[in-house]
Amino acid sequence: MRRRWCCWVPAAPLLLALLLGLGSPSAAKVNKHKPWIETSYHGIITENNDTVILDPPLVALDKDAPVPFAGEICAFKIHGQEMPFEAVVLNKTSGEGRLRAKSPVDCELQKEYTFIIQAYDCGSGPGGRNWKKSHKAVVHIQVKDVNEFSPAFKESVYKATVTEGKIYDSILQVEAIDEDCSPQYSQICNYEIVTTDVPFAIDRNGNIRNTEKLNYDNQHQYEIKVTAFDCGQKHATEDVLVRVNVKPVCKPGWQDWNKRIEYKPGSGSKPLFPSIHLETCDGPVSSIHTTIELQTNYIGKGCDRETYSEKSLQKLCGASSGAIDLLPSPSATTNWTAGLLMDNNDMIFKFDGKQGAKIPDGIVPKNLTDQFTITLWMKHGPSPGLRAEKETILCNSDKTEMNRHHYALYVHNCRLVFLLRKDFDQADTFRPAEFHWKLDQICDKEWHYYVVNVEFPVVTLYMDGTTYEPYLVTNDWPIHPSHIAMQLTVGACWQGGEVTKPRFAQYFHGSLASLTIRPGKIESQKVISCLQACKEGLDINSLESLGQGIKYHFNPSQSVLVVEGDDIENINQALQKVSYINSRQFPTAGVRRLKVSSKVQCFGEDVCISIPDIDAYVMVFQANEPKITISGTDHFARPAAQFESERGVTLLPDIRIVSTVTKMEHPMDEHDRANKPGVLEEMLHNLDFCDVLVMGTELDPKQECLELDHAALQGKHLDATNSTAGYSVYGVDSMNNYEQVLRQIRYRNWDTSGTSDRKFRVKCSELNGRYTSNEFNLEVNILHSSNSNLMDHVNHMIVQPQFLQSVHHPEGSTSAVHNSVVPSVATIVIIICVSILIFIITLGVYRIRTAHQHSSADNEGSKENEMDWDDSALTITVNPMEKYEKPHQPEEESDEEDIEDEEEDTTSAESDESEDEEEDEEEEEEVIVQKRDKQKVTRQEQLEWDDSPLPY
C-alpha cells in the first residue's frame, strides 16, 4: 500500500500542473476549429409576417464539440445595410438557429432581400475569448405576396360614341390595375358587366362590344357598370361607369344649336348659336357659304324701329324743318284721316281699294318750288286683277271741270312712278314729267322706306337708304294756268272732270305710314338713313378674332349676314360669334324668325353634300313698363295784377317728371313671392310730347293766352305749338329738358274782371302714346283787388312747404299726384273774418278789464274772480279758433257752403257790434255787475259764456 501511495503522489502535482497549463497561452489550442454553415440559403417570408422559412435550415457545426464553449455556437450575425432581419440561436450545443423579420415586411415595397450571414462559436471560455467565426454564407429571401389590394380602374368614367345600325368588334377598352406585387394577385384575369339586360359584352382584356345593332330613336345613350377581377378572384371595390352615346347615321348639317333664343330688353348683344358646328361626315369640303337672315318683316314697319311720331323722328334725325304730315293721327285739327283703316299702335293706315282721303286746302302750299321731298313707308303686293291699274299714293289734281294731274306718286305694274307737270311759263317746251322705277321690292309685300328727292329736273329715289335712278323718264308739255282749284288726296286720285259726278279713282291697295311732304328742301343721305334705320339686327362679337380666310358681309339694315370661308373650324367659330342686338329701351316684344342656309363646295366632285337649313327664332321679352309720374304744386292763388302783368304767372314752377319701373325680386318659394312686393327703381328715358291743356272753356285770345319764350327750346330737340286749347311741347328729349321747358310756361290774362279761376291739365307721353303719364291737374285762383291789402299775408299762408313737396318715388298703385289741401277763396274770407273777430274781442276784453280795475276800490273782489274772468276771455278766443279749423277738415260741399254762410253772418254781426264800441260806460258797468253776480257758477257755465252776445 505504501508503494502505491508513493507512486501516486508524484502523479498529483503533474495533473495539477497540466490543469494549470490550460490557462496559459498554450491553452488556446483547445478552440481549434471554426464553426461551419452552408454556403447559401434560400428563404421565403410571407408579407405582414416575421417568420422566415429557410432552405436548408439555419444550423452551424463546430468540430470542437463537445468541448465546452469551443464546440458551442453563440451567435449568427447578418451583414448588410439596414436589413429588416435578425438571426437568433435556438440551441448553442446543436448550433440550431432561426432567421426572422424585425418588423412586418411589405412585398409592395420590396419583393426580395439578399445578405451575408456568419456563425460565431463561444470561444475558449465564459467570456467568449478567442471566438472563431464561420465563413460567409449568402442568404436570398423572397417575400411572399398576400392578396390585400382590389383592382381599381384607371378612369372614373369611360365614354364612347357609336353610330346606329352597326356592330362593333370593340367600342372601347376599360382597364383596371392591382397594386399587389405578385403576378398572381396583381394581374387582372377577368372583366364583367354588372348591368343586366344591355346589348353589350366584354372580354377578359376589357374590350366592350355591342351584341346587337343600336337604334338612335330607341335610345340615345346607354349607361353600364363594369367590374374587374384579379387572378386571386378578388373583384374591384367600385364598379366603373361606361357611357355609350348613340348617334344617328351621319347626316351633314349644323349641330348643337337651339331653336329658341331668349332675349331680355337691355341685354345688349346676345350670341345666337354659341356652340354650333358643322358636321360634314368627312366629306371633302373645299369652301362654305352661309347666310344668316333675321326675318322681322312682320314687326312694325319691317323691323323694330322707334315708334315716335314722324315729326319727332325727323327732329331727332336732324331733318329740315317744315315737313307736312299727310297721314297724321285723327284729331279735331287733322280729321281727314278719321275714316281710314288704321293700326293705332304703329300709325299704319291700310287701304283696301275703296278709300281715299282729301287733304284740306291750306295744309300743303300750292307751289312746292323746284325742290321738295316726299317720304313714306309702303307695304304693297302685286296688283289685283288681270289688268293692273294705277294705284295712287299721292295725287294733286283739278278739283272740278277738268281732270289734270299736277303731281302724283303711284304704283303701276309693280313700278313706282312719280308725275310732275310744271306750270306753263315763258318757255313752252317739253320737260321731264314722268319718272319710272322698276324694283322687285315694290310688290314683295314687305315694308320699305321710300324718299323721293325732287331737284327739278333731277328726281332721285331712295329705297331703304339705297339710291336708285329712274330707268325711264318721259317728257310732256307744261300745264297751262287756269282758275281751277286743285285737290290733294291720299290713297286715291280725285277725278273732278270728264265724269258725271266728281269722285275718287285709281285706288291704292296696301299699307302706308309716315307720308310727308317738305316743300322747298331735299333731305340728305345721312338723314334718310337715320329715318329708316332699324334698332335691331345681327351683329358679330369681336370681329378681330375671326379666323383667317373668313369673309363676311351685312346688308344695310343688318338683317342679313353672309359668311364665307374654306376652313370648317373657322366657319364654326365665326357663326358662334353671330349675335342679335336690339338697342331700343322698350323693344317690341315677340318672335323674330331666324334662317340659316349654307352651300358647300367639295374638291373635284360634281355632287357635294347638302346642308339643311336652320329654322330658329329669337323671343324678345316684354320690357318692364315705366310708370311716368308728374307732380308739383296743384293749386295756388295770385293777385289779378300778376296775371295782368307783361310776364304773367308761371304755371308749373316746380313740376317734376319721374319714371319708375317695378322689378320683381326672386324669392325662394311661392309663399315669399306672394308676400314680397316688387321693388321700384327710378329709370331715365325720353319723352316725345307733353301737353298743357285748358280745362273747361278754351282760352279767349282777346284777353288771355299761354306763353313760352322761344329761348327755352334752344339747344333741345323740342318744338312747341300754342292754341286756345293749350300748349303742346313735342320732340324726343329727356325728362329733364321737358321739365325745364314746362317750368317756363306762363299764363297771362289782361282782363281778369270776369275770371276767378282757371284749371289746367298736364299729360306726357313716351313712344307716341305707348306709355303715358298720370293726368296732373292744376287749379289757379285769381284774387281781385278787393282783398289786395291782405294778398301778401294770404299767399304766404297758402304756399306752405307742405304744398310744394314732390313725389319722387311713387310706389305700388298709389297715385303720385300731390293732392295738397289748399284753402279756397271762401276759406280766405273766413280767415280774414276770424282775424277781425279776434281783434274785436281782444279790444273788448281790454276795455272791460280797464273798467274793472277802476271799480275795484268800491267793490273788493278776489283774485280768483279775476282769474275766472281771464279764463272767460280766453274761452271767447278759443271758440272762433275752433271755427277756423273747420275749413281744413274734409266735408261735403253743402256743409262747406253752410259754414261759409254762417261765418259771413257772424262777421256782419260782429261788425255791427264794433260800431257800438263808443257807447257810454254805464253799459260796461252793467256788464261788470252781471259778472259779479255769476261768480259762483260752475266752470262749464263760464266756458259756455260765448253763446251770449257781447254788448259793447
Side-chain angles (χ1 to χ4, degrees):
M1 291 295 292
R2 291 179 178 177
R3 290 180 181 175
R4 288 183 181 176
W5 281 107
C6 290
C7 294
W8 180 253
V9 173
L14 181 62
L15 180 59
L16 180 60
L18 179 63
L19 293 174
L20 294 174
L22 292 174
S24 65
S26 61
K29 295 182 179 179
V30 174
N31 190 9
K32 298 180 180 180
H33 302 93
K34 298 178 181 179
W36 177 89
I37 58 176
E38 298 288 345
T39 58
S40 64
Y41 294 90
H42 293 276
I44 295 176
I45 182 173
T46 303
E47 64 176 341
N48 302 323
N49 201 345
D50 63 350
T51 303
V52 180
I53 300 175
L54 287 177
D55 182 29
L58 183 59
V59 177
L61 300 177
D62 196 321
K63 292 182 178 181
D64 292 324
V67 177
F69 300 107
E72 296 176 350
I73 303 300
C74 277
F76 292 97
K77 290 186 178 181
I78 296 175
H79 302 282
Q81 294 181 353
E82 298 181 359
M83 286 294 167
F85 298 98
E86 62 180 359
V88 296
V89 177
L90 299 180
N91 191 318
K92 293 183 179 181
T93 304
S94 63
E96 182 180 358
R98 176 186 295 174
L99 187 63
R100 63 186 181 189
K102 296 179 182 178
S103 60
V105 181
D106 191 350
C107 177
E108 285 71 37
L109 296 178
Q110 190 167 343
K111 295 182 180 180
E112 57 185 25
Y113 297 88
T114 301
F115 52 85
I116 302 297
I117 191 172
Q118 286 182 301
Y120 290 79
D121 60 17
C122 295
S124 57
R129 297 187 303 271
N130 301 321
W131 48 263
K132 292 185 181 295
K133 58 183 178 180
S134 68
H135 59 272
K136 295 178 179 179
V138 178
V139 180
H140 182 76
I141 297 178
Q142 290 183 333
V143 182
K144 185 178 180 181
D145 188 21
V146 175
N147 195 2
E148 55 184 336
F149 292 98
S150 300
F153 289 92
K154 289 185 175 181
E155 304 289 340
S156 59
V157 178
Y158 289 87
K159 297 179 182 179
T161 300
V162 297
T163 303
E164 63 177 345
K166 295 176 65 177
I167 296 292
Y168 290 84
D169 294 333
S170 177
I171 296 174
L172 79 161
Q173 183 182 24
V174 297
E175 185 178 0
I177 57 175
D178 195 313
E179 294 183 359
D180 288 314
C181 64
S182 65
Q184 180 182 3
Y185 300 136
S186 63
Q187 290 184 358
I188 306 301
C189 286
N190 194 21
Y191 292 92
E192 184 177 304
I193 295 177
V194 179
T195 308
T196 59
D197 298 328
V198 290
F200 298 96
I202 190 169
D203 60 18
R204 61 184 305 168
N205 294 322
N207 294 306
I208 298 176
R209 59 183 178 84
N210 57 319
T211 57
E212 62 184 47
K213 293 181 180 180
L214 305 179
N215 189 293
Y216 177 81
D217 295 331
N218 293 339
Q219 192 166 345
H220 294 353
Q221 185 185 77
Y222 291 88
E223 291 187 351
I224 58 177
K225 292 291 188 68
V226 175
T227 189
F229 294 87
D230 60 19
C231 294
Q233 293 304 305
K234 191 168 187 176
H235 65 81
T237 55
E238 293 185 3
D239 301 331
V240 72
L241 177 63
V242 179
R243 287 196 180 100
V244 179
N245 295 311
V246 181
K247 69 176 183 179
V249 175
C250 184
K251 298 176 183 178
W254 295 102
Q255 306 292 330
D256 295 338
W257 54 273
N258 294 323
K259 188 176 184 66
R260 174 187 171 102
I261 301 102
E262 296 180 349
Y263 186 85
K264 295 181 179 180
S267 57
S269 181
K270 181 171 183 178
L272 296 174
F273 310 111
S275 302
I276 195 170
H277 65 276
L278 181 62
E279 176 61 64
T280 60
C281 298
D282 300 328
V285 176
S286 61
S287 65
I288 304 170
H289 180 282
T290 300
T291 302
I292 304 101
E293 181 181 1
L294 179 67
Q295 299 174 346
T296 59
N297 53 334
Y298 46 88
I299 301 294
K301 296 187 287 290
C303 68
D304 207 0
R305 294 181 169 91
E306 296 293 4
T307 55
Y308 297 115
S309 65
E310 188 64 21
K311 282 187 177 180
S312 298
L313 283 176
Q314 291 180 356
K315 185 76 174 178
L316 190 64
C317 290
S320 303
S321 59
I324 302 169
D325 192 355
L326 301 182
L327 287 176
S329 297
S331 65
T333 56
T334 59
N335 57 1
W336 65 85
T337 58
L340 302 178
L341 298 176
M342 178 182 174
D343 184 348
N344 291 322
N345 292 331
D346 296 309
M347 296 292 294
I348 296 172
F349 293 86
K350 299 180 180 179
F351 295 86
D352 56 1
K354 301 177 182 178
Q355 294 175 317
K358 292 182 180 180
I359 310 298
D361 296 339
I363 299 297
V364 178
K366 181 178 179 181
N367 183 16
L368 295 179
T369 72
D370 287 341
Q371 288 187 346
F372 60 93
T373 301
I374 299 174
T375 65
L376 72 150
W377 285 94
M378 183 176 72
K379 181 180 181 181
H380 182 264
S383 302
L386 297 176
R387 180 181 177 184
E389 296 183 355
K390 294 180 179 179
E391 299 180 54
T392 300
I393 300 170
L394 178 68
C395 179
N396 189 32
S397 59
D398 291 332
K399 185 176 290 188
T400 57
E401 299 182 20
M402 302 182 71
N403 190 28
R404 298 176 303 175
H405 294 185
H406 297 263
Y407 62 85
L409 183 66
Y410 60 89
V411 176
H412 188 213
N413 288 326
C414 293
R415 292 170 174 83
L416 186 66
V417 182
F418 177 65
L419 169 68
L420 180 60
R421 299 284 302 278
K422 300 294 290 183
D423 290 340
F424 178 83
D425 56 13
Q426 296 178 355
D428 188 6
T429 60
F430 266 5
R431 293 187 176 183
E434 286 189 356
F435 304 83
H436 299 250
W437 294 271
K438 185 177 181 180
L439 304 171
D440 295 336
Q441 292 88 339
I442 295 173
C443 290
D444 65 356
K445 296 183 180 181
E446 304 291 347
W447 280 105
H448 299 284
Y449 186 60
Y450 299 86
V451 178
V452 179
N453 265 353
V454 179
E455 198 170 9
F456 195 80
V458 178
V459 178
T460 304
L461 172 68
Y462 294 88
M463 190 196 70
D464 295 338
T466 304
T467 307
Y468 295 91
E469 299 295 334
Y471 81 96
L472 175 64
V473 178
T474 59
N475 297 333
D476 203 347
W477 293 101
I479 294 179
H480 289 271
S482 68
H483 65 281
I484 301 174
M486 292 180 288
Q487 177 64 61
L488 181 62
T489 57
V490 174
C493 194
W494 184 253
Q495 190 172 358
E498 301 178 1
V499 290
T500 304
K501 182 180 179 181
R503 58 180 176 83
F504 280 118
Q506 301 175 0
Y507 289 98
F508 180 75
H509 296 79
S511 298
L512 298 175
S514 303
L515 175 60
T516 67
I517 187 168
R518 180 180 286 103
K521 294 180 181 178
I522 61 174
E523 287 298 359
S524 65
Q525 176 77 38
K526 181 179 180 181
V527 172
I528 293 172
S529 298
C530 175
L531 290 172
Q532 64 91 35
C534 286
K535 294 298 181 179
E536 64 178 342
L538 299 174
D539 192 18
I540 295 181
N541 294 330
S542 183
L543 287 171
E544 63 276 3
S545 64
L546 291 180
Q548 295 182 351
I550 295 296
K551 299 178 181 178
Y552 66 92
H553 172 71
F554 284 102
N555 68 335
S557 63
Q558 289 197 206
S559 61
V560 178
L561 170 63
V562 178
V563 180
E564 297 182 69
D566 53 9
D567 184 82
I568 296 177
E569 187 59 33
N570 288 341
I571 287 289
N572 291 339
Q573 293 180 4
L575 261 67
Q576 290 169 7
K577 298 179 184 298
V578 177
S579 59
Y580 169 81
I581 187 170
N582 193 317
S583 59
R584 290 191 66 193
Q585 192 171 14
F586 305 106
T588 303
V591 171
R592 274 63 161 177
R593 296 191 181 95
L594 281 168
K595 184 176 182 180
V596 180
S597 56
S598 303
K599 295 181 180 179
V600 177
Q601 292 183 352
C602 297
F603 289 103
E605 294 188 12
D606 296 335
V607 179
C608 196
I609 59 177
S610 176
I611 306 297
D613 293 344
I614 288 179
D615 289 317
Y617 64 93
V618 178
M619 174 56 72
V620 179
F621 290 148
Q622 181 73 44
N624 292 326
E625 294 194 2
K627 182 179 180 181
I628 306 172
T629 304
I630 303 176
S631 61
T633 302
D634 58 0
H635 194 171
F636 67 86
R638 296 286 187 276
Q642 294 187 19
F643 292 96
E644 295 174 353
S645 65
E646 182 180 355
R647 296 291 295 174
V649 174
T650 303
L651 289 180
L652 305 163
D654 59 350
I655 190 171
R656 277 278 286 149
I657 305 175
V658 176
S659 182
T660 56
V661 292
T662 303
K663 293 189 176 181
M664 298 302 296
E665 294 180 343
H666 300 283
M668 297 300 294
D669 51 41
E670 293 296 333
H671 178 72
D672 292 338
R673 184 179 291 111
N675 294 335
K676 292 186 178 180
V679 178
L680 286 182
E681 291 186 4
E682 186 173 334
M683 70 178 303
L684 298 177
H685 58 77
N686 291 328
L687 300 175
D688 58 357
F689 74 80
C690 283
D691 290 336
V692 181
L693 303 177
V694 180
M695 305 303 295
T697 59
E698 293 188 358
L699 298 176
D700 185 356
K702 297 180 180 180
Q703 69 177 43
E704 57 184 340
C705 67
L706 292 175
E707 294 181 341
L708 176 66
D709 293 336
H710 182 71
L713 301 175
Q714 292 181 354
K716 303 178 179 66
H717 295 102
L718 297 177
D719 280 327
T721 57
N722 193 4
S723 68
T724 58
Y727 219 105
S728 180
V729 182
Y730 62 91
V732 181
D733 213 329
S734 65
M735 292 183 288
N736 182 53
N737 283 348
Y738 268 92
E739 286 179 355
Q740 294 178 17
V741 173
L742 292 175
R743 289 172 182 171
Q744 300 184 53
I745 295 179
R746 306 182 305 277
Y747 171 62
R748 284 186 61 202
N749 190 326
W750 48 90
D751 185 7
T752 60
S753 58
T755 307
S756 61
D757 60 19
R758 264 298 186 186
K759 295 181 179 179
F760 302 91
R761 177 173 293 168
V762 183
K763 189 174 183 179
C764 296
S765 159
E766 163 67 339
L767 295 177
N768 202 27
R770 179 176 173 185
Y771 304 114
T772 57
S773 70
N774 61 305
E775 294 181 347
F776 177 74
N777 296 315
L778 170 65
E779 182 178 350
V780 179
N781 295 120
I782 302 176
L783 303 178
H784 296 282
S785 58
S786 60
N787 297 323
S788 61
N789 58 334
L790 296 171
M791 285 306 100
D792 294 339
H793 174 68
V794 171
N795 280 318
H796 176 71
M797 296 182 66
I798 293 174
V799 187
Q800 294 294 331
Q802 62 265 29
F803 301 127
L804 299 179
Q805 292 176 356
S806 300
V807 180
H808 298 289
H809 298 282
E811 295 186 7
S813 61
T814 303
S815 174
V817 182
H818 190 78
N819 295 319
S820 303
V821 181
V822 182
S824 62
V825 176
T827 306
I828 299 170
V829 174
I830 292 172
I831 295 172
I832 298 171
C833 295
V834 171
S835 302
I836 296 173
L837 177 60
I838 294 172
F839 174 77
I840 293 171
I841 292 172
T842 304
L843 179 61
V845 171
Y846 174 77
R847 291 172 64 88
I848 292 171
R849 287 177 58 84
T850 304
H852 177 69
Q853 290 175 359
H854 284 294
S855 62
S856 61
D858 299 329
N859 301 298
E860 294 182 0
S862 64
K863 291 184 179 180
E864 181 180 355
N865 295 337
E866 293 178 358
M867 292 301 293
D868 292 339
W869 175 252
D870 291 342
D871 291 341
S872 301
L874 291 173
T875 303
I876 294 172
T877 304
V878 169
N879 286 335
M881 290 305 292
E882 291 177 353
K883 293 181 180 180
Y884 171 72
E885 294 294 330
K886 290 179 181 178
H888 293 276
Q889 299 175 0
E891 297 179 344
E892 299 295 328
E893 293 180 3
S894 61
D895 295 337
E896 293 178 357
E897 292 174 1
D898 294 339
I899 293 173
E900 292 171 8
D901 295 337
E902 180 181 352
E903 292 296 331
E904 290 176 359
D905 294 340
T906 304
T907 305
S908 62
E910 295 298 335
S911 300
D912 294 337
E913 292 174 358
S914 65
E915 293 175 357
D916 298 332
E917 287 178 0
E918 302 300 326
E919 294 181 357
D920 55 356
E921 295 183 358
E922 292 179 359
E923 293 179 0
E924 295 176 1
E925 293 292 335
E926 182 180 355
V927 173
I928 297 171
V929 172
Q930 291 176 359
K931 287 302 294 181
R932 288 175 178 174
D933 293 338
K934 296 180 181 179
Q935 288 179 358
K936 296 181 180 180
V937 298
T938 62
R939 187 177 186 84
Q940 180 179 0
E941 293 174 338
Q942 292 176 354
L943 292 174
E944 295 175 353
W945 177 83
D946 58 352
D947 291 338
S948 61
L950 295 175
Y952 19 64

